[in-house]
Amino acid sequence: MSEPSPSAAPLLARLLDLLADDAPAEALGAVTSEARAAGVPAAELAEVERAAATALRIRGALRQHRRRELQLTALFDTAGDLAASRDLGDVLKAIVRRARMLLGTDTAYLTLPDEEAGDTYMRVTDGSVSVLFQRLRLELGEGLGGLVAQTASPYATPDYRTDERFRHTRNINAGVLDEGLVAILGVPLLLGSSRGGAGKVIGVLFAADRAPRVFSPDEVALLCSLAAHAAIAIDTARALDDTRSALAELAGANAELAEANAAVRAHSAAMQRAEEAHDRLTDLVLRGGDVTDVAASVAGLLDSPLTIHDPAGRPLAAVRPDGSAHTADGPDADRLAGAVEESRRGARAVHSDGRWVCAVLAGQELLAGLVLHRADRLDDSDRRLFERAGVVTGLLLLLRRTVAETENRIRGELISDLLSDPERDPAGLAERGRRLGVDLDRPHLLLVAEAAAREKLGGAAMRYLFGGDVHGVSAEHAGTVVLLIDGDGAGGDAARAAAAQLGHLVQAPVTVAGTGPARGARELAAAYGEAARCLRAMRVLGRTGEGACVDELGFLGVVLGDAKDVDGFVTAVLGPLLRYDERRGTHLVRTLRAYFRAGGSLIRAKDELHVHVNTVVQRLDRIQVLLGHDWNEPDRALELQLALRLQLLSGGREG
């Protein structure tokens, strides 16, 4: 007797063990080679290969997630350094060093303006080897840093030497060339004026590589967060310097010493309170708090109710100073949006309609708005505390988004596998879904969306599922975005709601086809096919930017699913009648439509048209002359009725 063929089960178990041990990619790939060498049967060998490929994808997603966690941990460490250190130089060195570490660049540096000399100088560098570069001084407005300072916006270039957006000078080019820098990212250090005016750029934070590189939006947002910490450090250090200067001046004024000491004590107490509040917020983040915890902490510190709203104005948290829920009416949506935009432009909290409002930003992206329900004035320390709460809230929202994006990508692979080959292993797909928190056996609505701005649609779908009342998972599939939404409502209603929200997020028309509810791998795959056909029909009918389901399109949704040219079809079939009516002002198309509606009855047709029966006969005779003797044969009649229906749906007149 021959020995039994080796089984794939031990190899699959080994893949799981390797994945759990965070083994290198080569070890995962070696399992496939081992299976091949062991003579595993072809069917089981294919399963091992698919499992190895899935393990590699999961390993990559987990490593990326860990990398993001390390980045955010480093951000929190930076916040801790700010709270612990009073030396501006040490804090700025830590920020520049962490900027280089987090972005993985060859060097990082920070420039500050020299008010007396009227130019800008290198304050801190990390990873620099050129003395010429380290001693570089720039006139205001020169180079990439000049553009960042002028616009108060981040800028990045994959190759500074060839980028014509910046004003190149011999001095800057010599320093950059001596350092060997190519790709540069710069973000502004923003600080508002003491009277609440527009934000002021007090410096620029850079990260740079000695080889061409494209900086991602996440990297830009990360460097902007570090720049926000740097601005806070400079602001705090200047306030402390002002306090020391005040003490030195007051030492010689004996007559006013008592009053001055009281002012200094009050100022010092305010500074200490602000520092303690910042320590408290930092500790809250490090212990895993969420935006509701931040709201509760700030509401207690400032003794006023506080609410946090998403960019659409929906509340994310609402608490009173005692920690209870705040249920009073919130600000009007339009007024809130205007106040948040004013805060975003000025990079400071603003007072509007009896409330204080602060925009929560990641770079130039609006993440949320903080609303402090307090009509009276905030002193500088309380205002600074309120603004720091915005920075901490931004860090938490970025962390939540990172986790959600990672989970959605892993779940999205399940959806892609389900739609590609639902018959391969329905039970296995259901089990994978349960492990990932997606119960495929529960009813789901399935939406298929498309937009001209395809590169933005995937991220918009994730934010739509993450930020609102809709719960589900999304995946990019076959040039569209598929959304699997929990629930058993109407597919058309869900499609219309998604089209409106996604269009707002993408800032372009988004067309959505919906179907369901469906459950199980086979039903969901069939529902996807139906939604895809509905989407094609909507495209043909010119219903771009709308949401609908197949039932709402009627039989035309089925007939037109793969059609290409509605207008051409209508013209080819009804062209002679359309041209005759246009030239002579007659109603042959209307008469033909009424005749078919009446089931071929001349009496009912003349009643609908409100004409004599002889008029109907005369018009039908003219139709026969224009279309031919076979116009009323079954095949030709069906074609005419379809063309009449299409002509009406696509904007043609009823009569």
Side-chain angles (χ1 to χ4, degrees):
M1 294 179 62
S2 60
E3 294 183 1
S5 299
S7 171
L11 298 172
L12 295 176
R14 184 179 303 170
L15 280 175
L16 291 176
D17 291 338
L18 291 172
L19 192 59
D21 295 337
D22 194 24
E26 294 79 6
L28 294 172
V31 175
T32 302
S33 301
E34 182 179 341
R36 219 178 269 116
V40 172
E44 295 191 31
L45 178 61
E47 188 64 25
V48 172
E49 291 174 342
R50 286 192 294 270
T54 301
L56 286 170
R57 291 198 302 272
I58 294 174
R59 177 182 180 274
L62 291 175
R63 291 177 71 87
Q64 183 177 7
H65 181 50
R66 284 195 292 270
R67 179 178 64 82
R68 291 288 294 164
E69 288 181 335
L70 290 174
Q71 290 177 346
L72 290 171
T73 299
L75 275 178
F76 299 149
D77 290 343
T78 301
D81 287 345
L82 280 174
S85 177
R86 297 296 176 266
D87 184 83
L88 177 61
D90 291 342
V91 172
L92 294 184
K93 288 177 182 178
I95 289 175
V96 171
R97 183 170 60 254
R98 286 205 173 97
R100 180 187 176 199
M101 177 189 70
L102 290 175
L103 272 68
T105 54
D106 296 325
T107 183
Y109 50 99
L110 186 146
T111 62
L112 295 177
D114 188 331
E115 302 280 347
E116 296 182 0
D119 61 5
T120 301
Y121 69 102
M122 288 286 180
R123 177 64 171 82
V124 181
T125 65
D126 189 81
S128 172
V129 296
S130 167
V131 175
L132 176 62
F133 182 77
Q134 295 165 9
R135 296 177 178 175
L136 192 62
R137 299 187 74 93
L138 303 83
E139 296 295 327
L140 298 179
E142 293 180 349
L144 183 147
L147 186 58
V148 172
Q150 286 178 340
T151 62
S153 300
Y155 276 88
T157 175
D159 190 342
Y160 178 85
R161 296 166 298 183
T162 60
D163 200 325
E164 297 299 326
R165 292 178 297 168
F166 318 115
R167 182 154 67 91
H168 292 263
T169 67
R170 181 179 301 176
N171 185 30
I172 298 175
N173 288 347
V176 170
L177 181 63
D178 195 53
E179 188 63 51
L181 299 183
V182 178
I184 304 176
L185 165 63
V187 300
L189 277 66
L190 287 170
L191 190 68
S193 68
S194 61
R195 297 182 181 179
K200 177 183 178 182
V201 178
I202 62 170
V204 180
L205 178 61
F206 299 87
D209 259 339
R210 296 186 176 92
R213 168 178 177 172
V214 176
F215 291 95
S216 70
D218 282 347
E219 291 172 325
V220 175
L222 189 61
L223 198 61
C224 285
S225 296
L226 285 171
H229 285 303
I232 292 172
I234 294 172
D235 188 25
T236 302
R238 287 175 176 173
L240 290 173
D241 286 343
D242 291 342
T243 301
R244 296 188 187 101
S245 298
L247 286 171
E249 292 176 0
L250 290 172
N254 294 329
E256 300 176 359
L257 187 57
E259 182 181 353
N261 283 336
V264 170
R265 283 195 297 271
H267 183 73
S268 298
M271 290 297 300
Q272 183 177 0
R273 179 168 174 264
E275 292 165 4
E276 290 174 353
H278 188 69
D279 293 347
R280 182 173 172 181
L281 291 176
T282 301
D283 182 63
L284 187 152
V285 172
L286 294 175
R287 288 188 289 104
D290 58 18
V291 292
T292 302
D293 297 323
V294 173
S297 180
V298 176
L301 287 167
L302 298 180
D303 195 27
S304 301
L306 186 137
T307 56
I308 301 177
H309 301 261
D310 70 8
R314 295 184 293 259
L316 298 176
V319 294
R320 295 183 179 276
D322 61 3
S324 62
H326 177 61
T327 57
D329 293 337
D332 176 80
D334 292 337
R335 291 183 179 179
L336 173 60
V340 170
E341 177 59 23
E342 182 182 352
S343 173
R344 188 192 69 79
R345 290 195 305 266
R348 289 299 303 269
V350 299
H351 191 259
S352 173
D353 196 25
R355 300 174 178 88
W356 286 90
V357 178
C358 181
V360 178
L361 304 173
Q364 293 300 304
E365 179 186 358
L366 177 65
L367 298 179
L370 268 61
V371 179
L372 186 69
H373 299 260
R374 177 170 172 173
D376 58 337
R377 177 179 174 80
L378 289 175
D379 60 32
D380 287 344
S381 61
D382 284 346
R383 184 170 183 166
R384 193 174 296 117
L385 166 61
F386 185 45
E387 291 165 350
R388 288 177 180 177
V391 175
V392 174
T393 302
L395 291 175
L396 287 174
L397 292 175
L398 280 175
L399 177 60
R400 283 177 54 187
R401 179 192 292 181
T402 299
V403 173
E405 286 176 348
T406 301
E407 292 177 348
N408 194 70
R409 276 194 296 271
I410 296 174
R411 292 170 179 167
E413 293 176 0
L414 168 68
I415 302 305
S416 296
D417 291 345
L418 183 151
L419 300 180
S420 301
D421 190 5
E423 297 295 336
R424 185 186 69 185
D425 184 11
L429 290 171
E431 178 59 29
R432 279 177 59 192
R434 279 190 288 272
R435 289 199 302 268
L436 295 173
V438 181
D439 188 353
L440 297 180
D441 293 327
R442 295 183 58 189
H444 288 83
L445 298 176
L446 190 141
L447 309 181
V448 181
E450 69 175 7
R454 182 186 300 178
E455 68 282 357
K456 299 180 181 179
L457 187 55
M462 198 282 297
R463 292 197 298 277
Y464 174 61
L465 296 174
F466 172 64
D469 299 327
V470 180
H471 302 286
V473 60
S474 65
E476 297 187 27
H477 184 73
T480 62
V481 172
V482 179
L483 294 87
L484 199 61
I485 297 176
D486 296 340
D488 54 0
D493 293 341
R496 279 183 286 277
Q501 288 295 322
L502 292 175
H504 174 73
L505 292 171
V506 174
Q507 293 297 301
V510 178
T511 308
V512 182
T515 188
R519 64 182 75 202
R522 293 185 179 89
E523 281 190 23
L524 289 170
Y528 167 74
E530 178 180 318
R533 289 191 296 273
C534 178
L535 188 66
R536 289 194 295 270
M538 294 174 68
R539 190 186 308 132
V540 171
L541 291 173
R543 297 182 63 169
T544 302
E546 299 182 22
C549 65
V550 168
D551 292 341
E552 294 168 350
L553 300 182
F555 74 96
L556 291 174
V558 178
V559 173
L560 293 178
D562 295 303
K564 302 299 182 184
D565 187 5
V566 172
D567 292 337
F569 175 77
V570 171
T571 301
V573 177
L574 298 178
L577 303 186
L578 294 169
R579 289 190 292 272
Y580 191 92
D581 282 348
E582 184 178 1
R583 288 197 306 268
R584 299 175 179 268
T586 55
H587 302 284
L588 298 185
V589 173
R590 181 183 177 191
T591 300
L592 185 60
R593 183 176 290 116
Y595 175 75
F596 283 130
R597 283 177 178 170
S601 169
L602 297 177
I603 300 301
R604 292 204 301 272
K606 66 96 175 174
D607 290 339
E608 180 177 338
L609 295 169
H610 304 291
V611 298
H612 196 274
V613 68
N614 290 339
T615 302
V616 177
V617 173
Q618 291 170 2
R619 291 180 181 177
L620 292 177
D621 288 341
R622 174 56 58 186
I623 288 171
Q624 180 170 299
V625 170
L626 294 172
L627 298 182
H629 292 283
D630 64 339
W631 71 273
N632 207 15
E633 294 295 326
D635 290 343
R636 186 77 184 282
L638 176 61
E639 184 179 57
L640 287 169
Q641 291 180 66
L642 178 58
L644 287 167
R645 182 65 173 159
L646 284 174
Q647 189 258 353
L648 188 61
L649 282 176
S650 59
R653 291 182 301 169
E654 174 68 22

